[in-house]
């Protein structure tokens, strides 16, 4: 049904951009809450879209944006925090989720979709996964109070602008040798367009209410296999050196203090277990056929200007 009023928190990021594009294309009225409107310029041209700079922690700023919303989508997530103590993760994932859920209750929002992560658990080894698990508990509790909620738990997500294939492509460009921590950890990369479809298709599907969906693609690969694929695809011919547990820990401890934290101690904790589907395949349950990474990744690793344009059109389904 077109014309729905949908508010997206974190809608200017990697996944949010695709969801906002697709909802706009369907004729929905989309409000994207972002910390920086200037950094969200790529969303400005979208029809039926309003890009609003605001802080979700400020009730006075949130109230007008939730007042008429029929659906709220929370995509907020961080991969690293300033200090390695869990406070940053808890603030972004748990406390922020609680504030959003409270705003939904106050303004009588009936539908809420939440981005979590595969392996999220309140007793997980990493602060990241632990905070994601605690946030899931908050969402499920809100469902008990009458808010129709759905939680999505993807493995690593790929697509133009991703932090996986694209990120390692950039890293491989920097040095002839790449020391690779957690090389044996397995992932099940899922396409950003499929994740967007999962969110959008569930909005009015009552069968998805109060449920969690684990999302993964058709292939399971080790991190080493992912990096080797990018290395071969790009033709860079770099040397990739897998690191054992000890050296992986050393790398994480060193990179913890590198600006931007390319690999942190908490990243190492998260990578202590494989990120692959164990329970039911959420995409299959939602009737979505998973996209093979080989049909998409070459477009942004080797692609020319035309293929980049085609990839963007594909992500937005336009």
């Amino acid at each position: 049904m077109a014309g729905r009023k949908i508010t997206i928190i974190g809608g200017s990021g990697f996944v949010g951009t695709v969801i906002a594009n697709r909802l706009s294309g369907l004729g929905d009225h989309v409000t994207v809450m972002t910390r920086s409107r200037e950094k969200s310029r790529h969303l400005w041209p979208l029809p039926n879209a309003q890009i609003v700079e605001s802080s979700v922690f400020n009730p006075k700023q949130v109230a007008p944006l939730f007042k008429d919303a029929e659906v709220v989508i929370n995509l907020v997530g961080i991969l690293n925090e300033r200090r390695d103590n869990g406070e940053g993760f808890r603030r972004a994932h748990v406390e922020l989720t609680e504030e959003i859920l409270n705003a939904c209750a106050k303004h009588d929002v009936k539908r809420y979709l939440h981005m979590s992560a595969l392996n999220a658990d309140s007793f997980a080894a990493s602060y990241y996964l632990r905070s994601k698990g605690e946030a899931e508990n908050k969402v499920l509790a809100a469902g008990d109070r009458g808010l129709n909620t759905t939680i999505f738990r993807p493995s690593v997500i790929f697509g133009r602008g991703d932090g996986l294939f694209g990120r390692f492509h950039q890293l491989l460009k920097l040095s002839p040798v790449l020391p690779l921590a957690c090389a044996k950890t397995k992932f099940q990369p899922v396409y950003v367009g499929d994740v967007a479809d999962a969110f959008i298709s569930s909005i009015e599907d009552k069968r998805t209410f109060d449920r969690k969906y684990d999302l993964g693609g058709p292939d399971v690969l080790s991190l080493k296999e992912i990096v080797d694929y990018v290395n071969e695809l790009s033709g860079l011919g770099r040397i990739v050196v897998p690191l054992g547990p000890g050296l992986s820990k050393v790398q994480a401890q060193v990179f913890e203090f590198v600006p931007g934290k390319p690999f942190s101690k908490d990243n190492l904790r998260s990578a202590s277990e494989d990120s692959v589907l164990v329970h039911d395949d959420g995409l299959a349950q939602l009737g979505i056929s998973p996209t093979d990474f080989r049909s998409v990744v070459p477009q942004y690793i080797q692609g020319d200007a035309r293929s980049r344009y085609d990839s963007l059109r594909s992500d937005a389904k336009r």
Side-chain angles (χ1 to χ4, degrees), residues 14 27 35 50 56 64 75 94 100 103 107 137 140 151 156 171 182 202 220 232 235 253-254 270 287-288:
F14 173 49
R35 288 179 298 176
Q50 180 185 20
V56 77
L75 301 173
V94 184
I100 294 170
H107 298 288
N137 293 338
L140 293 175
I151 298 170
V156 290
L171 290 173
C182 305
S202 74
V220 173
E232 181 179 357
Q253 289 173 334
V254 171
S270 292
I288 299 169

Side-chain angles (χ1 to χ4, degrees), residues 78-97:
I78 60 172
L79 293 176
N80 281 305
E81 58 181 355
R82 182 174 298 180
R83 297 182 178 87
D84 186 37
N85 58 12
E87 291 182 4
F89 287 120
R90 182 169 180 80
R91 174 70 168 165
H93 298 155
V94 184
E95 295 175 13
L96 178 57
T97 295

Side-chain angles (χ1 to χ4, degrees), residues 9 70-74 97 100-101 104 109-115 139 147-151:
I9 300 96
E70 300 171 57
V71 183
V72 168
I73 300 175
N74 179 12
T97 295
I100 294 170
L101 293 171
C104 286
V109 177
K110 298 299 185 185
R111 189 72 174 107
Y112 174 83
L113 308 180
H114 184 84
M115 176 69 87
V139 173
L147 180 64
N148 296 317
T149 65
T150 306
I151 298 170

Side-chain angles (χ1 to χ4, degrees), residues 162-194:
D162 65 32
L164 183 63
F165 294 96
R167 176 172 176 265
F168 279 108
H169 185 218
Q170 295 304 315
L171 290 173
L172 287 166
K173 288 180 179 179
L174 296 177
S175 173
V177 179
L178 178 66
L180 185 64
C182 305
K184 294 182 179 180
T185 301
K186 289 181 169 55
F187 298 91
Q188 198 164 346
V190 58
Y191 180 45
V192 64
D194 296 339

